[in-house]
Amino acid sequence: MSADSAQVAPELVPVVRRYMNDVPHNRALGLRVVDFARDFFTVELPYDPRLVGNPETGVLHGGVITAAMDSASGGAVLVALDRPQRIVTLDLRIDYLRAATPHEAVVCRASCYKAGYHVAFTRAVAYHDDPAAPIATASGTFVIFRTPPPTAAGGPDGSEGAAT
Amino acid sequence: MNLREAIVHGKATGDFSACVAQIAYLQFMGISMEVVAGELLGHMAYSERIVGNARADALHGGTLGALMEATAVFTVLAQEAPVIKVPKTIGITVDYLRSAGRRDTWARALFTRQGRRVASVRILCWQQDRDKPVAAANAHFLLSPMS
């Protein structure tokens, strides 16, 4: 992982690195975190015949792209926070611009362009090699369930880890 | 039976299981299409691989989107108009309404507008109680009639 994680809150780095492995569906899809910084989060979905939606063309099912976009967008919210918080997707809009090319991995790059106290806003793009030739674009909103930071005396651990 | 024959069979009988069986992703996800009391419903069986947050016992939001998109596709295919090619999804907007737990999930799609080139579909998704949907979606599909 070539993560430039310098800007990401130190507490978040292990959470983000575990993100794919801790989420059973991400693991089932074979999603992997490729790169992240405070202002973006990139995941890669390897091509897998089990995820094909059209047996005649070998093109991935749209649902796979939806799930990958959701995971990438959730990751973008996590890295934008100051410490781990539970987040859930409120809504996600996906536009399918063209079919994914069979046998090629899909990259989803997401950014959280506004993280408010309760709500975060994301956009994401899915592509093979060139972000300027997108397969799909997404915009999402996430609810952040903020808990107070743990006290020095060992208060409640607010860390709920990654949620999608 | 190839995919086209399976679609024609599904349109004639309302039974799309031969079609679903050919789509690897639906098998992977445990998604099937069932006719219950005359309604075409999408059904996603619970499995560990569709979980998004193991600690919160919540399904991954993307899996609900996938179930709703698949249900909408088959609802478009099942209509009487001569659509026999798999419709292309133009876009889908999913609203997550409640946490979806570790159990089976259902979806039902209804046309909001049916044009010659574009179908607009509204989809609801629930678990135990249909009156308490866990997610809702709007989707648009590009149709290829008779081609």
Side-chain angles (χ1 to χ4, degrees), chain B residues 69-140:
Chain B
E69 185 180 334
T71 305
V73 165
F74 282 99
T75 301
V76 171
L77 280 175
Q79 70 185 324
E80 285 176 35
V83 175
I84 52 171
K85 251 184 114 172
V86 178
K88 282 184 183 163
T89 312
I90 299 168
I92 181 165
T93 304
V94 181
D95 292 331
Y96 294 98
L97 306 174
R98 289 180 178 83
S99 178
R102 292 181 185 263
R103 54 180 74 88
D104 285 18
T105 311
W106 301 84
R108 165 81 166 135
L110 292 167
F111 287 98
T112 44
R113 181 180 177 275
Q114 167 74 70
R116 267 188 303 175
R117 295 304 297 182
V118 175
S120 301
V121 184
R122 176 90 181 141
I123 311 113
L124 277 178
C125 180
W126 67 93
Q127 293 192 316
Q128 297 122 303
D129 185 349
R130 195 165 173 166
D131 293 328
K132 290 185 175 164
V134 294
N138 256 311
H140 300 289

Side-chain angles (χ1 to χ4, degrees), chain A residues 23-26 28-29 49-53 55-56 61-64 67 70-71 89-96 159-164, chain B residues 3-4 22-26 28-29 48-55 59-63 65-66 69-70 89-96:
Chain A
V23 176
H25 188 59
N26 290 344
L29 293 178
R50 296 178 306 164
L51 306 180
V52 166
E56 290 174 346
H61 194 278
V64 187
D70 192 348
S71 291
T89 316
L90 184 60
D91 74 27
L92 187 69
R93 175 195 167 114
I94 314 268
D95 291 318
Y96 295 103
S159 154
E160 288 275 311
T164 23
Chain B
L3 185 64
R4 192 188 175 96
Q22 293 189 30
I23 300 175
Y25 178 67
L26 300 182
F28 176 81
M29 295 291 288
E48 174 69 19
R49 65 161 59 139
I50 62 172
V51 170
N53 186 329
R55 253 186 283 182
L59 300 190
H60 193 287
T63 69
E69 185 180 334
T89 312
I90 299 168
I92 181 165
T93 304
V94 181
D95 292 331
Y96 294 98

Side-chain angles (χ1 to χ4, degrees), chain A residues 50-124:
Chain A
R50 296 178 306 164
L51 306 180
V52 166
N54 186 330
E56 290 174 346
T57 60
V59 170
L60 295 178
H61 194 278
V64 187
I65 307 291
T66 302
M69 289 291 221
D70 192 348
S71 291
S73 303
V77 175
L78 280 180
V79 291
L81 300 175
D82 291 323
R83 53 189 212 85
Q85 306 283 1
R86 189 166 80 90
I87 58 165
V88 301
T89 316
L90 184 60
D91 74 27
L92 187 69
R93 175 195 167 114
I94 314 268
D95 291 318
Y96 295 103
L97 308 180
R98 63 182 178 90
T101 307
H103 308 291
E104 283 188 31
V106 174
V107 175
C108 293
R109 184 186 173 98
S111 61
C112 174
Y113 60 94
K114 163 76 183 177
Y117 190 79
H118 295 294
V119 181
F121 300 82
T122 62
R123 59 173 73 97

